[in-house]
Every structure is written in structure tokens, then in C-alpha cells.
């Protein structure tokens, strides 16, 4: 099951590996909880879904989305009658996919299992989505030892937990090698480089529901303050959710040192990551990717279910509070020792071989 951009990014390595290693039918169901952003990844990875539920509606609410997904996914499972359902992460697609499978007593594999913030409202609703999936799944692919430990604390039997690394690192390395081998992709950001000369690029992404309202306004205020500096340019691929895009566009568009751009193809975003000096994000996936490039990450959340980056010293939590975001960004811009300490290229989330470990477990079962 794939529904959103990050699910497609993190599952395409598994789908391709599985298809290469088994003659069993692998059915890809795209719920299209995201439309354009999902299609961007599917196109890039040459994955053609066998089923496309096309459920996205503009500004969808959680109850509408959940109800539509549960019913539609249930119907698919009744038609396809799979022997196993694979879900990834913590989206409503993943949660309803697991629940619909459970209602039919179909076993569920959970890729990226065991992430916990300990706060059911942050990230919201993802923390509860993961717990629901964790209750249902019989194969838990934990990206890190810490995630596996969280599952043990919830009494998941040892033989059902597999520490695999996060497939995002597999995806990232595949994307990076495409960028490195294609001069057109490598030069994709020449115009931004040319427009901003020696300015340092602050790459920003945000979209979390718990930040809607006050949080997004705090982030917008912080960005307005940061970009008053002449030595900085902000590049911000806008998430299309109107609760994010409208507020940030209203506050930041037209500024000569702010590039508000559309959601980028994954390879282009990977190119942007390598161009950035600092990354400001509330994204899960971006937190996991930036350390590969040695880019310091300021996480615009109060808590994270991915503390490995913070513990490794490559990420810091700054919330969605204007003053903290500004202070920590300026510190990275002005204090070279602090910058060097945070910019070590080391990725605690995976080694790029998660897909092989996952597929081995799937095929040995
Ligand atoms: C969803 C996931 C979140 C994940 C994020 C990745 C849930 C509840 N949330 O959040 O866990 O981190 O995806 O980006 O599962 N939209 C478009 N085009 C698109 C995609 C979205 O226009 O291609 C707009 C639509 O107005 C849509 C809205 O964004 O209604 C929200 O999409 P939704 O999937 O509900 O939530 P996200 O905030 O994207
Ligand atoms: N990403 C992308 N294009 C963009 C911004 C992000 O391809 O313009 C990728 C990013 O590299 C990461 C994933 O999208 O792999 C993160 O998705 P998002 O932040 O939407 O969701 P989350 O990871 O928070 O669930």
C-alpha cells in the first residue's frame, strides 16, 4: 500500500527488490491519499500501481480521509485477497491498510516500525497511527535498535522484530547516484546558485498538522527574521496543503532572497539537500536524510520519534517557536565550531541495505 510521497519514497526499494526476488504476485495499491506528490515519486521510480483509489480531496479532514480509505481499501482486499499486506510508516493510508487487513485476518508487515515520541498529539495523528499498526502487525521492520526496544517495551515478541535500517537511506543513495550520473540533474539548481552567489542556503520544509495555525505562523515569523540577513537565502518547497501553503505564501512570497518553489521531484530535492547549508524541517524523512549529507538539521517540533539524529549530534529540536528557530539558525550561521560539530556526515538511520533485509524476512516467512 502506498498513499503519500514519503511512503512511495520509502517503499519503492522494497517493491523493486521483492519483484526481483519472487515469482509471487506483488500487487501495488496506490490509495493516492496524495495525488501529485505521490505521482511524482511513482513516475520517477517507474512504479505503475495495479490499483489506484484516487482518494485525495482538497483540504481533506482526518475523519473524511480515514472513512474513505478504510472502505476503499477493504474493497480492494476483498477483490485481491492477498496473503499479506505491507504498509509503511504512520500515515492514514498505512493505518487503514493495516486495520482493513486485520478485519479480514490478513497478516500485516510494518516497514518503519517502533518509532515513538511518547506523545499522542505530536506528531498528530501519526503517533497513534503507528501504535495501531504496531498492535496489528506480525512482522515489525524496525529501522534502529532504539525502535526495536520500543516494540519490546510494548510486549511485541522478539521473533517478530527485525532491525533492518530505514529504507529511506536505500532510496536516498539510489537518488544520489542518479543525480551524480546525470549532468542535467546536477545543474538543475545552477539558477539558484547564480541568483544567490555566496549566500548560504537555508532549506526549509514543513507540513505537520500539529503545527497548523500558531506553529506555522511562528515558523513564518522566524523565516522573515532569518532572511533579513543579506548572507542568507531561503529555499522552501511548499507543501500543497492549504493550511501551510497559503500562510507561508502570504508571508514570504516576493522576497528577493526567498525561493518559494513547488514540491520537487525526489532527485531534485536530493540535489537541494546537497546545496543547503542548514536544513529547517518538521518532516520525518528529511530528518533522516540530511545526516547523509552532513547537513545540520533544526527540527521544528517539540518532540521527535526519531531521536537518533539528536543523539548523534546532527539534529536539534527547536519547536515552532520564532525565537528558538532564529537563535539556533543564527548560531549555526555564525559559530563555525558549532556548525562543524553538527555537520558530521554520519547517518544513524540506516546503511542503505534495509530493503534486502526486509525482503529476506518476507520471503523466509
Ligand atoms: C500526510 C500524512 C503525514 C505525512 C505527510 C507527508 C496523514 C494523516 N498525514 O500529511 O503523516 O507526513 O502526508 O507529506 O496521513 N495535497 C495536494 N496534493 C498532493 C498532496 C496533498 O493538493 O499531492 C493537499 C490536499 O489539499 C490534501 C492536503 O494536502 O487534502 C492534505 O493531505 P493529507 O495527506 O491529508 O495530509 P498531509 O498533511 O499531506
Ligand atoms: N521531498 C521531496 N520533494 C520535496 C520535499 C521533500 O521529494 O520537495 C522528500 C524528502 O526528501 C523526503 C520526503 O519527501 O524523502 C519527506 O516527505 P514529507 O516531508 O512530505 O513527509 P514526512 O517524511 O514528514 O512524513
Amino acid at each position: 500500500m502506498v498513499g503519500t510521497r514519503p511512503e512511495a519514497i520509502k517503499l519503492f526499494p522494497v517493491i523493486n527488490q521483492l519483484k526481483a526476488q519472487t515469482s509471487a504476485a506483488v500487487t501495488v495499491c496506490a490509495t493516492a491519499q496524495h495525488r501529485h506528490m505521490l505521482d511524482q515519486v511513482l513516475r520517477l521510480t517507474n512504479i505503475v500501481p495495479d490499483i489506484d483509489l484516487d482518494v485525495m480531496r482538497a483540504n481533506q479532514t482526518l475523519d473524511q480521509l480515514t472513512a474513505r480509505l478504510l472502505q476503499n481499501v477493504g474493497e480492494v482486499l476483498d477483490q485481491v485477497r492477498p496473503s499479506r499486506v505491507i504498509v509503511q510508516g504512520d500515515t492514514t493510508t498505512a493505518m487503514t491498510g493495516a486495520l482493513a487487513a486485520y478485519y479480514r485476518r490478513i497478516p500485516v508487515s510494518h516497514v518503519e516500525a517502533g518509532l515513538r515520541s511518547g506523545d499522542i498529539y505530536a506528531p498528530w495523528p501519526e503517533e497513534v497511527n503507528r501504535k495501531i499498526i504496531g498492535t496489528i502487525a506480525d512482522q515489525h521492520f524496525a529501522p534502529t535498535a532504539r525502535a526495536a526496544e520500543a516494540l519490546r517495551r510494548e510486549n511485541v515478541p522478539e521473533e517478530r522484530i527485525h532491525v533492518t535500517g530505514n529504507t529511506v537511506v536505500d532510496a536516498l543513495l539510489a537518488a544520489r547516484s542518479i543525480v551524480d550520473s546525470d549532468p542535467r540533474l546536477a545543474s538543475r539548481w545552477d539558477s539558484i546558485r547564480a541568483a544567490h552567489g555566496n549566500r548560504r542556503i537555508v532549506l526549509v520544509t514543513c507540513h505537520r498538522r500539529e503545527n497548523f495555525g500558531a506553529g506555522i505562523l511562528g515558523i513564518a515569523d522566524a523565516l522573515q527574521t532569518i532572511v533579513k540577513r543579506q548572507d542568507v537565502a531561503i529555499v522552501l518547497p511548499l507543501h500543497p496543503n492549504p493550511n501551510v501553503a497559503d500562510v507561508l505564501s502570504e508571508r514570504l512570497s516576493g522576497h528577493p532572497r526567498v525561493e518559494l518553489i513547488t514540491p520537487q521531484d525526489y532527485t531534485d530535492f536530493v540535489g537541494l539537500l546537497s546545496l543547503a547549508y542548514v536544513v529547517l524541517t518538521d518532516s520525518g524523512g528529511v530528518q533522516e536524510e540530511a545526516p547523509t549529507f552532513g547537513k545540520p538539521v533544526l527540527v521544528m517540533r517539540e518532540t521527535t520519534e526519531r531521536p537518533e539524529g539528536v543523539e548523534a549530534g546532527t539534529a536539534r529540536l527547536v519547536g515552532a517557536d520564532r525565537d528558538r528557530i532564529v537563535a539556533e539558525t543564527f548560531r549555526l550561521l555564525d559559530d563555525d565550531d558549532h556548525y562543524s560539530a553538527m555537520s558530521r556526515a554520519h547517518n544513524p538511520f540506516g546503511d542503505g541495505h534495509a530493503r534486502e533485509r526486509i525482503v529476506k524476512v518476507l520471503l523466509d516467512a
Side-chain angles (χ1 to χ4, degrees), residues 4-7 9-10 34 37 40-41 44 88 90-91 112 126 168 171-172 203-208 236-239 261-270 272-273 281-289 301 305-306:
T4 64
R5 168 172 69 191
E7 289 165 86
I9 289 172
K10 291 174 170 179
H34 282 174
M37 293 205 297
Q40 276 183 300
V41 186
L44 198 70
Q88 194 284 333
D90 52 20
T91 65
E112 198 182 80
E126 290 81 1
V168 77
L172 181 63
L203 177 62
V204 184
T205 79
C206 63
H207 69 83
R208 299 242 75 86
L236 200 172
L238 272 180
H239 190 289
I261 55 178
T262 53
Q264 297 298 300
D265 275 357
Y266 188 45
T267 41
D268 288 334
F269 187 76
V270 168
L272 269 181
L273 266 176
T281 191
D282 64 9
S283 161
V286 177
Q287 275 177 74
E288 294 160 339
E289 291 165 341
R301 304 189 189 185
E305 66 286 5
R306 296 165 164 94

XYZ file of all heavy atoms in Angstrom, residues 4-7 9-10 34 37 40-41 44 88 90-91 112 126 168 171-172 203-208 236-239 261-270 272-273 281-289 301 305-306, ligand 2:
456
model
N 1.117 8.305 0.255
C 1.700 9.650 0.268
C 3.124 9.612 -0.315
O 3.701 8.539 -0.505
C 1.803 10.187 1.714
O 2.704 9.352 2.430
C 0.446 10.205 2.414
N 3.659 10.808 -0.516
C 5.028 10.905 -1.044
C 6.035 10.080 -0.227
O 6.767 9.263 -0.801
C 5.439 12.377 -1.078
C 6.919 12.591 -1.336
C 7.241 14.049 -1.557
N 7.100 14.852 -0.358
C 7.113 16.189 -0.336
N 7.236 16.862 -1.449
N 7.002 16.861 0.796
N 6.111 10.268 1.104
C 7.170 9.524 1.809
C 6.975 8.016 1.782
O 7.968 7.267 1.790
C 7.107 10.082 3.242
C 5.775 10.725 3.360
C 5.430 11.216 1.978
N 5.718 7.549 1.741
C 5.538 6.090 1.663
C 6.109 5.551 0.357
O 6.744 4.480 0.330
C 4.049 5.726 1.735
C 3.421 5.942 3.090
C 1.913 5.911 2.974
O 1.337 4.812 3.039
O 1.302 6.995 2.808
N 8.482 6.914 -1.464
C 9.950 7.008 -1.431
C 10.530 5.843 -0.622
O 11.511 5.213 -1.013
C 10.384 8.367 -0.843
C 10.071 9.486 -1.850
C 11.877 8.373 -0.462
C 10.278 10.902 -1.320
N 9.891 5.544 0.499
C 10.471 4.536 1.390
C 10.088 3.103 1.001
O 10.716 2.159 1.469
C 10.047 4.836 2.826
C 10.713 6.111 3.366
C 10.180 6.496 4.729
C 11.007 7.616 5.349
N 10.491 8.030 6.677
N -2.194 11.263 -1.321
C -1.599 12.384 -2.047
C -1.794 12.097 -3.520
O -1.646 10.951 -3.938
C -0.094 12.472 -1.795
C 0.274 13.070 -0.482
N 1.575 13.109 -0.042
C -0.473 13.669 0.490
C 1.627 13.706 1.144
N 0.396 14.042 1.499
N 1.934 14.631 -5.454
C 3.219 14.306 -4.803
C 3.500 12.806 -4.828
O 4.657 12.391 -4.844
C 3.244 14.840 -3.369
C 3.234 16.364 -3.310
S 3.951 17.029 -1.820
C 2.848 16.390 -0.584
N 4.570 12.032 -8.517
C 5.965 12.436 -8.782
C 6.915 11.275 -8.484
O 7.831 11.004 -9.250
C 6.352 13.609 -7.872
C 5.955 14.978 -8.372
C 6.455 16.060 -7.411
O 6.090 16.078 -6.240
N 7.278 16.960 -7.911
N 6.700 10.622 -7.348
C 7.628 9.540 -6.961
C 7.389 8.303 -7.829
O 8.343 7.655 -8.277
C 7.466 9.166 -5.469
C 8.534 8.146 -5.061
C 7.523 10.389 -4.578
N 9.017 8.767 -11.205
C 10.477 8.729 -11.119
C 11.007 7.315 -10.913
O 12.086 6.954 -11.376
C 10.897 9.616 -9.951
C 12.307 10.099 -9.855
C 12.581 11.123 -10.949
C 12.522 10.770 -8.486
N 3.741 1.027 5.289
C 4.965 1.737 5.678
C 4.605 2.964 6.519
O 3.729 3.743 6.138
C 5.718 2.179 4.413
C 7.152 2.623 4.616
C 7.273 4.016 5.236
O 6.394 4.850 5.091
N 8.366 4.247 5.947
N 3.424 5.770 9.063
C 2.440 6.211 10.061
C 1.323 7.057 9.480
O 0.663 7.804 10.193
C 3.177 7.040 11.119
C 4.007 8.155 10.494
O 3.730 8.515 9.339
O 4.938 8.656 11.165
N 1.099 6.951 8.182
C 0.050 7.781 7.576
C -1.313 7.133 7.781
O -1.426 5.986 8.236
C 0.285 7.917 6.064
O 0.127 6.612 5.495
C 1.670 8.465 5.749
N 9.255 0.392 8.908
C 9.486 1.568 9.773
C 8.638 1.457 11.050
O 7.857 2.340 11.408
C 9.205 2.881 9.057
C 9.834 4.096 9.727
C 9.500 5.408 9.005
O 8.407 5.938 9.194
O 10.359 5.882 8.251
N 0.057 10.813 13.690
C 0.950 9.716 13.309
C 1.331 8.816 14.478
O 1.505 7.600 14.310
C 2.219 10.280 12.638
C 1.984 10.884 11.254
C 1.442 12.304 11.275
O 1.251 12.858 12.390
O 1.189 12.869 10.205
N 14.654 4.608 3.799
C 14.884 5.944 3.237
C 16.344 6.096 2.823
O 16.651 6.812 1.859
C 14.475 7.060 4.235
C 15.498 7.274 5.338
C 14.209 8.371 3.519
N 16.714 4.568 -0.537
C 16.128 5.445 -1.551
C 17.043 6.633 -1.831
O 17.281 7.003 -2.984
C 14.753 5.938 -1.079
N 17.566 7.190 -0.771
C 18.415 8.377 -0.892
C 19.682 8.071 -1.694
O 20.081 8.843 -2.571
C 18.777 8.854 0.511
C 19.643 10.082 0.631
C 18.941 11.288 0.053
C 19.973 10.343 2.101
N 17.508 25.544 3.708
C 16.451 24.748 3.060
C 15.370 24.459 4.099
O 15.673 23.973 5.200
C 17.050 23.439 2.519
C 16.075 22.452 1.882
C 15.390 23.038 0.650
C 16.814 21.159 1.492
N 14.122 24.765 3.749
C 13.028 24.641 4.723
C 11.920 23.765 4.153
O 11.545 23.916 2.982
C 12.424 26.036 5.039
C 11.348 25.919 6.131
C 13.508 27.025 5.470
N 11.404 22.830 4.980
C 10.140 22.165 4.625
C 9.288 22.087 5.886
O 9.820 21.931 6.995
C 10.307 20.715 4.076
O 10.518 19.809 5.170
C 11.431 20.596 3.074
N 7.981 22.233 5.710
C 7.098 21.988 6.861
C 5.699 21.646 6.391
O 5.271 22.061 5.321
C 7.086 23.170 7.823
S 6.459 24.668 7.134
N 5.035 20.841 7.185
C 3.679 20.415 6.819
C 2.885 19.788 7.963
O 1.743 19.399 7.789
C 3.743 19.403 5.673
C 4.335 18.079 6.075
N 3.604 17.094 6.678
C 5.588 17.584 5.986
C 4.372 16.057 6.919
N 5.586 16.327 6.518
N 3.461 19.648 9.166
C 2.801 18.856 10.203
C 1.476 19.475 10.656
O 1.389 20.671 10.889
C 3.701 18.721 11.442
C 5.017 18.031 11.191
C 5.129 16.761 11.996
N 4.331 15.721 11.428
C 4.755 14.904 10.445
N 5.937 15.004 9.944
N 3.953 13.982 9.988
N 12.366 27.037 -0.173
C 11.272 26.368 0.535
C 10.309 25.713 -0.460
O 9.478 26.399 -1.059
C 10.524 27.421 1.376
C 9.646 26.984 2.538
C 9.164 28.172 3.345
C 8.506 26.096 2.182
N 10.432 24.398 -0.659
C 9.415 23.709 -1.458
C 8.121 23.645 -0.630
O 8.106 23.054 0.442
C 9.988 22.306 -1.667
C 11.397 22.343 -1.157
C 11.465 23.472 -0.170
N 7.091 24.287 -1.145
C 5.858 24.433 -0.360
C 5.018 23.163 -0.410
O 4.653 22.714 -1.507
C 5.015 25.558 -0.939
C 5.238 26.975 -0.466
C 4.274 27.910 -1.193
C 5.054 27.101 1.045
N 4.687 22.616 0.733
C 3.725 21.513 0.772
C 2.365 22.070 0.331
O 1.972 23.147 0.772
C 3.654 20.988 2.210
C 2.887 19.698 2.330
N 1.522 19.626 2.168
C 3.288 18.432 2.591
C 1.129 18.364 2.332
N 2.185 17.619 2.583
N 9.105 27.369 -3.858
C 9.028 26.536 -5.061
C 8.023 25.404 -4.837
O 7.611 25.135 -3.707
C 10.423 25.967 -5.445
C 11.056 25.208 -4.272
C 11.347 27.083 -5.899
C 12.412 24.588 -4.601
N 7.613 24.780 -5.915
C 6.639 23.688 -5.822
C 7.327 22.444 -5.245
O 8.560 22.360 -5.246
C 6.075 23.351 -7.217
O 7.193 23.113 -8.074
C 5.233 24.488 -7.767
N 6.547 21.450 -4.792
C 7.181 20.208 -4.324
C 8.064 19.643 -5.425
O 7.660 19.573 -6.585
C 5.986 19.284 -4.050
C 4.833 20.196 -3.827
C 5.081 21.410 -4.685
N 9.254 19.298 -5.062
C 10.252 18.889 -6.049
C 10.262 17.383 -6.261
O 9.997 16.619 -5.327
C 11.641 19.328 -5.572
C 11.773 20.822 -5.451
C 11.591 21.511 -6.797
O 12.338 21.252 -7.727
N 10.581 22.376 -6.923
N 10.619 16.978 -7.484
C 10.905 15.558 -7.707
C 11.971 15.136 -6.698
O 12.842 15.934 -6.342
C 11.475 15.352 -9.119
C 10.354 15.225 -10.138
O 9.179 15.244 -9.743
O 10.671 15.120 -11.332
N 11.930 13.882 -6.308
C 12.838 13.433 -5.262
C 14.303 13.704 -5.610
O 15.074 14.194 -4.781
C 12.601 11.942 -5.002
C 13.347 11.396 -3.813
C 13.384 12.080 -2.606
C 14.019 10.177 -3.899
C 14.075 11.579 -1.508
C 14.694 9.660 -2.810
C 14.720 10.367 -1.627
O 15.400 9.863 -0.545
N 14.689 13.421 -6.848
C 16.092 13.640 -7.233
C 16.455 15.123 -7.126
O 17.565 15.470 -6.712
C 16.343 13.139 -8.671
O 15.222 13.505 -9.469
C 16.540 11.651 -8.716
N 15.520 16.000 -7.482
C 15.801 17.438 -7.375
C 15.911 17.849 -5.909
O 16.737 18.694 -5.550
C 14.697 18.251 -8.060
C 14.781 18.135 -9.574
O 15.890 17.887 -10.078
O 13.748 18.277 -10.235
N 15.077 17.274 -5.075
C 15.160 17.621 -3.658
C 16.484 17.131 -3.065
O 17.107 17.824 -2.245
C 13.971 17.030 -2.879
C 13.942 17.523 -1.468
C 13.517 18.804 -1.167
C 14.374 16.714 -0.427
C 13.529 19.288 0.137
C 14.393 17.193 0.881
C 13.958 18.475 1.161
N 16.926 15.978 -3.509
C 18.220 15.468 -3.039
C 19.337 16.423 -3.481
O 20.263 16.730 -2.720
C 18.442 14.028 -3.564
C 19.873 13.564 -3.351
C 17.471 13.078 -2.858
N 18.951 19.603 -3.861
C 18.815 20.762 -2.969
C 19.448 20.501 -1.611
O 20.068 21.385 -1.018
C 17.330 21.078 -2.734
C 16.648 22.050 -3.675
C 15.209 22.241 -3.247
C 17.387 23.382 -3.717
N 19.276 19.285 -1.124
C 19.879 18.933 0.171
C 21.396 19.103 0.124
O 22.000 19.596 1.077
C 19.557 17.477 0.527
C 18.347 17.203 1.399
C 18.150 15.706 1.547
C 18.472 17.845 2.777
N 13.285 21.863 9.301
C 12.207 20.993 8.832
C 11.375 20.455 9.981
O 11.867 20.329 11.115
C 12.800 19.812 8.021
O 11.741 19.127 7.364
C 13.553 18.813 8.891
N 10.109 20.135 9.699
C 9.328 19.330 10.642
C 9.040 17.953 10.046
O 8.253 17.180 10.575
C 8.034 20.051 11.066
C 7.049 20.272 9.918
O 7.257 19.725 8.822
O 6.048 20.989 10.142
N 9.702 17.652 8.925
C 9.485 16.385 8.221
C 10.193 15.236 8.924
O 11.282 15.403 9.470
C 10.046 16.531 6.804
O 10.276 15.265 6.212
N 9.582 14.052 8.864
C 10.265 12.878 9.368
C 11.393 12.464 8.428
O 12.545 12.301 8.832
N 11.041 12.306 7.143
C 12.002 11.798 6.170
C 13.207 12.707 6.005
O 14.343 12.224 5.901
N 12.970 14.012 5.986
C 14.100 14.925 5.765
C 15.081 14.846 6.944
O 16.305 14.894 6.755
C 13.599 16.368 5.510
C 14.767 17.332 5.350
C 12.696 16.415 4.279
N 14.542 14.682 8.165
C 15.429 14.478 9.342
C 16.339 13.278 9.146
O 17.482 13.254 9.592
C 14.582 14.138 10.575
C 14.020 15.269 11.351
C 13.161 14.706 12.480
O 13.671 14.192 13.476
N 11.850 14.813 12.346
N 15.767 12.244 8.491
C 16.534 11.012 8.318
C 17.545 11.104 7.185
O 18.520 10.352 7.160
C 15.572 9.846 8.028
C 14.681 9.520 9.198
C 13.441 8.743 8.793
O 13.034 8.779 7.619
O 12.833 8.114 9.675
N 17.299 12.016 6.242
C 18.166 12.105 5.062
C 19.350 13.059 5.252
O 20.463 12.782 4.793
C 17.340 12.579 3.857
C 16.348 11.536 3.398
C 15.289 12.091 2.463
O 15.074 13.321 2.426
O 14.657 11.293 1.779
N 9.922 20.934 15.768
C 8.944 20.193 16.567
C 9.412 20.243 18.014
O 10.598 20.429 18.277
C 8.927 18.721 16.171
C 8.679 18.403 14.746
C 8.508 16.911 14.696
N 8.455 16.340 13.384
C 8.216 15.050 13.170
N 8.034 14.247 14.203
N 8.173 14.565 11.963
N 10.082 11.430 17.228
C 10.110 9.976 17.337
C 11.374 9.431 16.665
O 11.548 8.239 16.540
C 8.834 9.382 16.710
C 8.683 9.566 15.196
C 8.323 11.001 14.769
O 8.277 11.895 15.636
O 8.107 11.210 13.573
N 12.231 10.360 16.222
C 13.490 9.958 15.571
C 14.649 10.611 16.331
O 15.375 11.431 15.763
C 13.474 10.412 14.111
C 12.395 9.735 13.283
C 12.172 10.471 11.977
N 11.439 9.659 11.026
C 10.120 9.700 10.870
N 9.368 10.502 11.612
N 9.529 8.934 9.970
N 10.819 15.507 -0.591
C 10.719 15.572 -1.980
N 10.435 16.784 -2.567
C 10.267 17.909 -1.843
C 10.354 17.834 -0.430
C 10.626 16.616 0.161
O 10.870 14.569 -2.664
O 10.027 18.970 -2.436
C 11.089 14.211 0.031
C 12.165 14.189 1.095
O 13.433 14.005 0.512
C 11.731 13.035 1.981
C 10.229 13.024 1.856
O 9.920 13.829 0.713
O 12.195 11.785 1.482
C 9.614 13.609 3.093
O 8.265 13.786 2.878
P 7.386 14.704 3.818
O 8.238 15.719 4.488
O 6.259 15.190 2.974
O 6.780 13.661 4.842
P 7.298 13.006 6.210
O 8.627 12.412 5.955
O 7.306 14.094 7.239
O 6.255 12.001 6.516
